[in-house]
Amino acid sequence: MQPEHTAKTLFDKIWDAHVIETRADGSSLLFVDRHLVHDATSQAFDMIEDAGLTIRRPDLTLGTADHYASTGGPIDENHAERAAIVDRLAKRARQGDFTTYGIGDERQGIVHVIGPELGFTLPGTVLVCGDSHTASHGALGALAFGIGASEIAHVLATQTLWQRRPRQMRITVDGSLKRGVTAKDLVLQVIRQIGTAGGTGFAIEYAGSVVRDLSIEERLTVCNMSIEAGARFGMVEPDDVTFDYLEGRPMAPSGVQWHQALEAWRSLKSDVNAVFDKEITIDGSEIEPTVTWGTSPEQAVTISEAVPDPASEADPARREAMQAALSYMDLQPGTPVQEIAIDRVFIGSCTNSRIEDLRAAAAIAKGRKTQVPAIVVPGSGQVKAQAEAEGLDRIFTAAGFEWRQPGCSMCVAINGDIVPPGKRCASTSNRNFAGRQGVGARTHLVSPPMAAAAAITGRLTDIRTLDTAG
Amino acid sequence: MQAFHRHRGVLVPLLGTNIDTDQIVPARFLHRPRSAGYGNQLFHDLRYDGSSAERPEFVLNQSGYEDGSILVGGPNFGCGSSREHAVWALLDYGFRVVIAPSFGDIFFNNAVNNGLLTIVADDALHDVLTQATQAETGGTAEIDLVDRTVTLNGDQRFAFNIEDHHRQALLEGASEIEMTLKALDRIRAFEAGHFDDKPWAGPR
């Protein structure tokens, strides 16, 4: 057994292996193995162009069109402008000599979907992207975090980044998930429990039997929403599930390098006596299907509960936030959430647009009919092709869902796909902020099967009342 | 980036919890070039209604606050997306300082990288500033990053804490990229050893 002072967490091991130097002020210059860029990072490219700099390691940079990508919905007056933004990334890729995937390429898709599926994301690497949901990639045991435009420019120009080591939190989820409970419900419950700022300043490692039993796609959903708990980093120890997922993917190592990688990756785990600054334990068996009612991801309840009453909140700041959220959401305290009628359904986003998500939603949709306009946006061209090969597209369209092209779509609502003002959307995305899905739009965050169920019944629905039929 | 030493300005209260970056600047404006400015987009949907009329209840539309430059925010200010536009919008409007009990991590780093001073206020300082904004519309404060003090009404002085590296970066206002490129030889040496040791992590 190692002496305590050398015990390291998973995070420490990757961080320490990437420190080029540490300044007197405590910040470290980290080497970046993988940099993902997308069509909404144009100002960062402007910054390095304006400074007369070039992209130092285009071979470690990978781009894709996602934020502004049309999914084939109705064409509005800004369509051409968005198409030009998407084209600008392709132009920059040609100038800067890095690879990017544009509309129509099967490898194109949401940056946090394509990284893992191509094997660009690897355990033990430092991966950054100008998007707050970059922690997703921690699902494969990468040290991955979201950065702003100035930091993107720094990485483009130097392939490094100055960072302070965050504090570390371990969230252990033991027990096992009940029927009808998904990774989305798990992470919504984590956020509900620790709060939107509970992870601020921390890197989170998710552990415990429930997490070990999750597929890579489910781990991606959990790590993805770390930022909604305030944490820039979320990660899971890589294991055989990870290695099985990665083996044979186009950008994953192969041959001798695959075996070298496996040997290195098997040591990527927190030492038994590693000390975390904070430990949280959650009983996975207690988690229920969950839905948000407010305008912050922490404002969540189980599907069996009612909209909470601000009068019962002791903390004045929280009470005020609850009142503002109820007003924006046009909800009354005490209303059972299953009585909330919805107007739109969105199945997609970097949180929930992978093949397992679509299979789970299709299982609910099969043989039924939607009551409200509903769209399904696969996370990538590859997910779309796989879903079509499995006939999921036909299940969705037969049920009245629209089957779209890949992209971020109605999660960030800047590609033309929006929820109209005052309308209420059951959404598999990650943010229920005021105006997030469109000016005046009201968002309820749910899992993919819960979103499909809401489309079928026209209200928020307990998946467990539906999933045995059909 | 703009260096920061001292600043005197009008305090603006925006005390809500979890003011996320979508509230600070809605996503539909993010395609604008940096040079186009983001001041008019700051807090857009809180400032303006659906017909682009000012919402009278929003603080920046109230007399005495139009020229505000020191924002007193609530807990978890700037949570949410990584958009640096949130910082640009605050700066372009005229804000130089945001003082709040806590900040979103990415917003905080973005602020430092642009010369926007973000002060994590302890309960005592936040209470004093909250009371000051409630007692008087258009009250002013002087922020001194050299001394690490906030001075209210010319005589009430409060110390604040800030990490040394953030303070130094703001005082110098230097571009981190240029400084890092001076270490390029060391970066190259590290990189060579790194990929020798981990060939599987190299470019594909």
Side-chain angles (χ1 to χ4, degrees), chain A residues 42-43 46 68 81 85 88, chain B residues 25-41 85 88 92:
Chain A
S42 66
Q43 290 95 349
D46 292 340
Y68 290 97
E81 188 176 15
I85 294 169
R88 198 182 311 147
Chain B
V25 58
R28 65 184 184 278
F29 300 120
L30 303 187
H31 64 283
R32 296 159 54 84
R34 176 70 189 91
S35 55
Y38 277 87
N40 290 338
Q41 285 69 41
H85 314 62
W88 301 337
D92 291 354

Side-chain angles (χ1 to χ4, degrees), chain A residues 109-440:
Chain A
I110 306 172
V111 72
H112 310 309
V113 174
I114 72 156
E117 86 181 358
L118 293 171
F120 183 77
T121 308
L122 296 176
T125 57
V126 167
L127 181 152
V128 299
C129 174
D131 188 276
S132 60
H133 294 107
T134 305
S136 306
H137 305 262
L140 288 96
L143 196 162
F145 57 106
I147 56 179
S150 296
E151 292 175 316
I152 298 170
H154 193 282
V155 176
L156 288 172
T158 70
Q159 203 59 30
T160 67
L161 205 53
W162 288 100
Q163 292 288 303
R164 300 271 287 183
R165 189 190 293 257
R167 290 182 289 166
Q168 295 183 56
M169 177 188 298
R170 179 162 56 191
I171 297 180
T172 303
V173 190
D174 280 322
S176 54
L177 297 181
K178 287 191 289 209
R179 188 180 65 87
V181 177
T182 68
K184 181 66 162 286
D185 302 303
L186 162 58
V187 71
L188 286 172
Q189 281 299 333
V190 166
I191 298 161
R192 182 188 188 183
Q193 185 166 329
I194 74 172
T196 315
T200 303
F202 286 95
I204 297 176
E205 180 179 339
Y206 300 95
S209 58
V210 165
V211 175
R212 279 196 299 277
D213 288 346
L214 295 178
S215 70
I216 290 300
E217 296 196 0
E218 290 170 320
R219 294 178 191 180
L220 283 160
T221 298
V222 173
C223 291
N224 173 273
M225 288 191 71
S226 300
I227 190 67
E228 313 314 335
R232 278 193 302 160
F233 311 82
M235 58 206 309
V236 175
E237 168 189 313
D239 57 11
D240 285 333
V241 177
T242 320
F243 312 143
D244 289 347
Y245 174 91
L246 281 170
E247 190 169 11
R249 294 204 178 249
M251 292 182 171
S254 58
V256 174
Q257 286 190 5
W258 172 256
H259 294 286
Q260 289 171 328
L262 271 187
E263 196 185 329
W265 294 344
R266 288 196 192 282
S267 67
L268 291 175
K269 51 186 72 193
S270 292
D271 294 330
V272 176
N273 48 357
V275 177
F276 288 79
D277 299 290
K278 197 163 185 179
E279 294 259 16
I280 307 269
T281 306
I282 291 175
D283 182 353
S285 314
E286 297 287 309
I287 298 171
E288 300 280 326
T290 298
V291 53
T292 64
W293 58 267
T295 55
S296 167
E298 70 185 5
Q299 291 171 325
V301 291
T302 71
I303 192 66
S304 317
E305 290 179 81
V307 175
D309 189 346
S312 60
E313 172 58 55
D315 177 65
R318 286 176 64 90
R319 188 161 61 237
E320 205 170 302
M322 288 173 76
Q323 281 158 345
L326 287 175
S327 166
Y328 182 85
M329 295 294 289
D330 190 28
L331 290 172
Q332 296 302 318
T335 307
V337 290
Q338 291 191 67
E339 290 179 10
I340 297 173
I342 55 111
D343 309 303
R344 292 287 188 281
V345 167
F346 169 58
I347 298 174
S349 87
C350 58
T351 312
N352 280 129
S353 64
R354 298 176 184 83
I355 191 68
E356 292 174 11
D357 298 318
L358 302 191
R359 285 177 190 144
I364 299 297
K366 190 173 187 177
R368 298 193 171 104
K369 288 288 179 193
T370 59
Q371 304 286 315
V372 297
I375 68 170
V376 184
V377 183
S380 71
Q382 291 199 33
V383 171
K384 181 167 182 282
Q386 175 71 29
E388 289 171 355
E390 295 179 17
L392 304 185
D393 59 322
R394 294 189 294 282
I395 292 173
F396 284 122
T397 51
F401 291 82
E402 283 184 59
W403 178 247
R404 295 285 189 87
Q405 304 294 319
C408 298
S409 184
M410 214 177 267
C411 172
V412 65
I414 55 176
N415 75 325
D417 298 336
I418 61 163
V419 177
K423 297 295 183 188
R424 190 180 294 286
C425 182
S427 176
T428 66
S429 54
N430 41 56
R431 291 198 169 124
N432 52 350
F433 298 161
R436 173 81 181 182
Q437 294 192 288
V439 179

Side-chain angles (χ1 to χ4, degrees), chain A residues 17-21 23 25 27 29 31 33-34 43 47-48 53 56-57 59-60 68 81 85 88 122-125 130-132 146-151 153-154 157-160 162-164 196-197 199-202 227-228 230-232 251-254 257 260-261 264-265 295-296 298 317-318 321 412 414 431 433-434 436 439, chain B residues 15-18 20-23 26-35 38 44-46 48-50 55 75-76 79-85 88 102-107 109-110 113-114 163-166 168-169 175-181 183-184 186-192 194-204:
Chain A
H18 289 81
V19 173
I20 299 166
E21 57 191 46
R23 282 197 298 231
D25 66 18
S27 32
L29 187 63
F31 184 72
D33 297 300
R34 297 283 186 273
Q43 290 95 349
M47 286 179 186
I48 65 158
L53 299 167
R56 208 184 138 243
R57 293 298 305 257
D59 55 344
L60 299 175
Y68 290 97
E81 188 176 15
I85 294 169
R88 198 182 311 147
L122 296 176
T125 57
D131 188 276
S132 60
I147 56 179
S150 296
E151 292 175 316
H154 193 282
T158 70
Q159 203 59 30
T160 67
W162 288 100
Q163 292 288 303
R164 300 271 287 183
T196 315
T200 303
F202 286 95
I227 190 67
E228 313 314 335
R232 278 193 302 160
M251 292 182 171
S254 58
Q257 286 190 5
Q260 289 171 328
W265 294 344
T295 55
S296 167
E298 70 185 5
R318 286 176 64 90
V412 65
I414 55 176
R431 291 198 169 124
F433 298 161
R436 173 81 181 182
V439 179
Chain B
L15 297 162
T17 303
N18 297 330
D20 56 72
T21 55
D22 277 81
Q23 308 314 303
R28 65 184 184 278
F29 300 120
L30 303 187
H31 64 283
R32 296 159 54 84
R34 176 70 189 91
S35 55
Y38 277 87
H44 186 279
D45 296 345
L46 299 170
Y48 305 107
D49 67 16
R55 294 181 190 273
N76 206 23
C79 61
S81 106
S82 59
R83 64 190 67 167
E84 199 156 305
H85 314 62
W88 301 337
S102 57
F103 292 91
D105 281 342
I106 305 177
F107 174 85
N109 283 354
N110 290 342
N113 286 331
N114 285 274
E163 289 192 30
D164 283 344
H165 71 291
H166 285 145
Q168 208 56 40
S175 158
E176 210 159 45
I177 293 180
E178 285 165 29
M179 293 194 293
T180 305
L181 284 173
L184 202 51
R186 297 199 293 283
I187 294 171
R188 287 207 178 99
F190 177 91
E191 195 170 51
H194 181 71
F195 287 133
D196 276 352
D197 188 40
K198 304 179 189 65
W200 50 267
R204 294 290 129 197

